[in-house]
Amino acid sequence: MPDVLDASPYDALLLLSFGGPEGPDDVVPFLENVTRGRGIPKERLKEVGQHYFRFGGVSPINDQNRALLDALRKDFAEHGLDLPVYWGNRNWAPYLTDTLREMTRDGRRRVLVLATSAYASYSGCRQYRENLADALTALEAEGLEPPKVDKLRHYFNHPGFVEPMVDGVVRSLAELPEEVRDGAHIAFCTHSIPTSAADTSGPVEEHGDGGAYVRQHLDVAQVIADAVRERTGVDHPWQLVYQSRSGAPHIPWLEPDICDHLEERQAAGVPAVVMAPIGFVSDHMEVLYDLDTEATAKAEELGLPVRRSATVGADPRFAAAVRDLVLERAGDERGQEATPCALGRLGASHNLCPVGCCPARAPRPAAAGADSPFA
C-alpha cells in the first residue's frame, strides 16, 4: 500500500444524514422540519413526538454520526488518506446548507457525499440529492460558488457493511436459550415505504414489483443467511419484514409489519426470532422504539423469545468500506479501472444515478445525478 492514498479529484467527504432532536425542546421543531409542506398540525406532531419524549427528547442518531465521523477520520489517518470529513443533516443541526457553506469557505471544490442510507429509494437516495440541490442553490443565491458534489454508490452489499451484520446475527443467536436456538427464525427488518415508491426505486429498468429497494434487501438477507449457516452449521429460515410505517392508512405500504410477523411466527410454532435491522446504518430511533420497545413488547406478550442484532454503526470495517468506496470513485473519476467490492448476486450499484431513478411524485431538481442541474 502506498504511504499516501490518492482521493483526487476530491478534496473532502461529506457525511450526510437525517438528523434528530437533542433535547425535549427540539422535538416539535425537528418534526416540523421533517414534515414541512404537509400541513400537519403542531398537536399531531406532539403526538408523534412521544417516541422521542420517551427517550428524553433525544434521538441517538447524532451521537452515532459523531462516532462514525471519528471512525472515518481515524481510518483515513491510519491509512494515509488525506481527506477531511465534514458532517451535515437534512433536518437538524448541523444543517446541510451550513456545512456546505463552511466547505465552500474552506476552499473545497470537489466533494464526495456519504449518505447514511445504504439502499435505493426516493427517501433513501433521491431525497438526499434534492436536499443537496436545495443547499447548493441557496449558496449560489448568496453569491458563493459552491463545490461540485458526487454521491458515493449504494453500499448495501459491500463486505464492510454486510460482515458486521453477520456477526450481529450470530451473536444474537448465541444469546438465545440453547433449547430454542437452532429452530430460531431470522426476521430481516427494514423501513417500510409506500409500495408505489418501492416499485419505482432504482433505475428505470429495475422498476416493477418492489423495485430495487426490495431486491437489494432480499439479496443482502440471503448473503447474511448463507454466512450464518456457514458459521453456525444451522440453516435458519428467514423473511424480509418491515417497520416504521407512517402516513395515511389507505395508502399501501410494504408488508408484513414486524409485529404482525411475530404473531404469525408464534402461531406457526417458531420457538424464537432474531430481529436483524439490515435496513439501518445505526441504532437510531426507529430501531430503539419500533424494535427494542414495540416489537420486543409484542414478543413478550406472545411468550416468544427474541433478540435484536446490532446495526453496523461505527464498526471499523464500515469505516474501511467507506475508504474503499472513496478510492474506487476517485479512481473512476481519474479514468482508472477498478473491480468494485460487492457480495451477492446484484453486483456493485451505479456511481451516477440515471435519469428516472427513484422518481419523486412532484419533479424537483436533484444534485449528484445524471439529471443534476449543477455542472
Side-chain angles (χ1 to χ4, degrees):
M1 182 186 302
D3 292 336
V4 177
L5 300 179
D6 187 5
S8 65
Y10 299 104
D11 54 18
L13 176 70
L14 169 61
L15 175 64
L16 177 55
S17 194
F18 193 80
E22 301 203 75
D25 293 342
D26 297 343
V27 172
V28 172
F30 162 73
L31 292 173
E32 288 175 332
N33 288 342
V34 173
T35 62
R36 181 166 286 117
R38 301 183 202 172
I40 300 177
K42 182 170 288 190
E43 291 307 310
R44 173 59 182 152
L45 295 180
K46 289 179 180 178
E47 294 175 18
V48 174
Q50 292 306 312
H51 293 182
Y52 292 96
F53 293 128
R54 185 187 185 104
F55 294 91
V58 178
S59 168
I61 193 170
N62 282 345
D63 277 344
Q64 289 161 6
N65 280 324
R66 293 182 183 103
L68 180 55
L69 279 173
D70 289 344
L72 292 171
R73 289 165 177 161
K74 181 174 184 288
D75 179 272
F76 289 6
E78 288 178 348
H79 291 85
L81 179 57
D82 184 16
L83 192 70
V85 186
Y86 294 74
W87 170 35
N89 289 325
R90 289 171 48 189
N91 298 299
W92 202 249
Y95 288 104
L96 171 59
T97 301
D98 296 337
T99 300
L100 279 173
R101 184 183 298 110
E102 176 189 1
M103 298 175 82
T104 299
R105 290 172 174 167
D106 285 348
R108 309 302 176 193
R109 305 309 309 145
R110 288 292 302 272
V111 173
L112 270 173
V113 177
L114 168 67
T116 54
S117 177
Y119 300 85
S121 71
Y122 170 73
S123 57
C125 183
R126 186 176 178 89
Q127 194 169 18
Y128 282 94
R129 294 175 48 225
E130 291 175 350
N131 295 145
L132 282 165
D134 291 342
L136 295 171
T137 299
L139 296 186
E140 287 183 338
E142 296 173 12
L144 298 173
E145 184 182 351
K148 173 175 169 50
V149 298
D150 290 321
K151 183 176 175 290
L152 289 173
R153 67 175 172 88
H154 300 301
Y155 46 85
F156 62 92
N157 57 2
H158 193 288
F161 185 68
V162 174
E163 289 165 2
M165 294 190 290
V166 173
D167 287 351
V169 173
V170 170
R171 280 194 301 269
S172 293
L173 286 166
E175 291 169 1
L176 286 168
E178 186 175 359
E179 63 271 18
V180 300
R181 188 178 305 151
D182 286 355
H185 170 93
I186 304 172
F188 290 108
C189 307
T190 192
H191 208 300
S192 185
I193 60 175
T195 56
S196 59
D199 293 346
T200 56
S201 58
V204 172
E205 63 271 17
E206 296 182 30
H207 293 178
D209 188 17
Y213 185 76
V214 171
R215 281 193 285 277
Q216 289 171 0
H217 280 87
L218 287 173
D219 202 44
V220 170
Q222 185 66 66
V223 169
I224 296 172
D226 289 346
V228 169
R229 183 184 65 249
E230 291 174 9
R231 293 265 296 272
T232 66
V234 179
D235 191 5
H236 291 274
W238 62 269
Q239 186 171 339
L240 179 63
V241 302
Y242 302 93
Q243 61 177 87
S244 312
R245 183 203 160 113
S246 61
H250 68 278
I251 297 176
W253 283 54
L254 293 173
E255 296 178 336
D257 176 77
I258 178 60
C259 290
D260 295 338
H261 182 68
L262 292 175
E263 289 185 344
E264 292 167 358
R265 293 301 86 204
Q266 190 270 343
V270 168
V273 173
V274 167
M275 301 181 292
I278 62 171
F280 305 91
V281 172
S282 63
D283 288 5
H284 52 65
M285 187 57 67
E286 278 98 341
V287 176
L288 289 187
Y289 184 81
D290 296 324
L291 294 183
D292 293 356
T293 304
E294 193 172 50
T296 299
K298 171 58 71 173
E300 290 175 355
E301 173 191 320
L302 296 169
L304 180 66
V306 294
R307 296 293 185 274
R308 195 270 291 174
S309 66
T311 52
V312 173
D315 190 290
R317 289 169 291 184
F318 182 43
V322 175
R323 169 170 39 89
D324 180 67
L325 291 166
V326 166
L327 296 174
E328 174 195 306
R329 182 60 182 272
D332 184 73
E333 287 294 305
R334 297 194 304 268
Q336 298 173 345
E337 290 189 12
T339 303
C341 288
L343 301 174
R345 300 176 296 101
L346 298 181
S349 186
H350 48 262
N351 272 338
L352 190 69
C353 292
V355 175
C357 194
C358 304
R361 283 178 294 178
R364 290 181 54 200
D371 55 355
S372 172
F374 300 92

